[in-house]
C-alpha cells in the first residue's frame, strides 16, 4: 500500500512461496528491465510473480529464460495502518 515501508535483503533465493520479492520485470522487452515488488511462487518450470494490486499485472518467466530474476526478499514490513503507543 502507498506509504508502507518494506525492508529487503539482497538475496536471490526466496525461502517460500508467497514471499514478497523485488523482481526484474523484462515483460516490456528491455534487456535491463525494471524492478517491481511482487509475490513469488515456484512452479516446476517457471518463476511466477503476482501482484497484490489488481491494477498491476503479474508475469512469469520460464526458468530457462532467466536464472536469477529475483534481486531481494522482504524481511520486514511496517504498514501506515500500524499505530504504535
Amino acid at each position: 500500500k502507498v506509504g508502507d515501508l518494506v525492508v529487503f535483503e539482497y538475496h536471490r533465493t526466496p525461502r517460500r512461496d508467497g514471499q514478497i520479492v523485488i523482481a526484474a520485470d523484462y515483460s516490456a522487452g528491455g534487456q535491463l528491465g525494471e524492478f517491481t515488488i511482487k509475490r513469488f511462487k515456484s512452479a516446476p518450470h517457471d518463476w511466477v510473480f503476482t501482484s497484490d494490486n489488481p491494477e498491476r499485472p503479474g508475469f512469469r518467466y520460464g526458468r530457462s529464460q532467466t536464472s536469477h530474476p529475483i534481486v531481494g526478499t522482504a524481511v520486514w514490513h511496517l504498514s501506515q495502518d500500524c499505530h504504535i503507543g
Side-chain angles (χ1 to χ4, degrees), residues 4-77:
D4 286 3
L5 301 172
V6 182
V7 176
F8 290 86
E9 172 185 60
Y10 177 75
H11 198 283
R12 292 178 179 255
T13 307
R15 295 177 182 95
R16 66 189 180 284
D17 282 356
Q19 188 166 9
I20 297 171
V21 301
I22 297 175
D25 180 0
Y26 301 101
S27 62
Q31 286 187 340
L32 294 177
E34 293 185 10
F35 296 99
T36 184
I37 297 173
K38 298 289 183 196
R39 286 198 184 270
F40 165 80
K41 182 178 179 194
S42 179
H45 301 285
D46 295 323
W47 303 96
V48 181
F49 301 95
T50 59
S51 179
D52 289 353
N53 181 347
E55 295 178 16
R56 301 286 183 197
F59 51 89
R60 78 171 44 217
Y61 298 117
R63 290 180 185 260
S64 62
Q65 288 176 281
T66 182
S67 59
H68 295 289
I70 297 167
V71 177
T73 56
V75 294
W76 186 78
H77 173 248

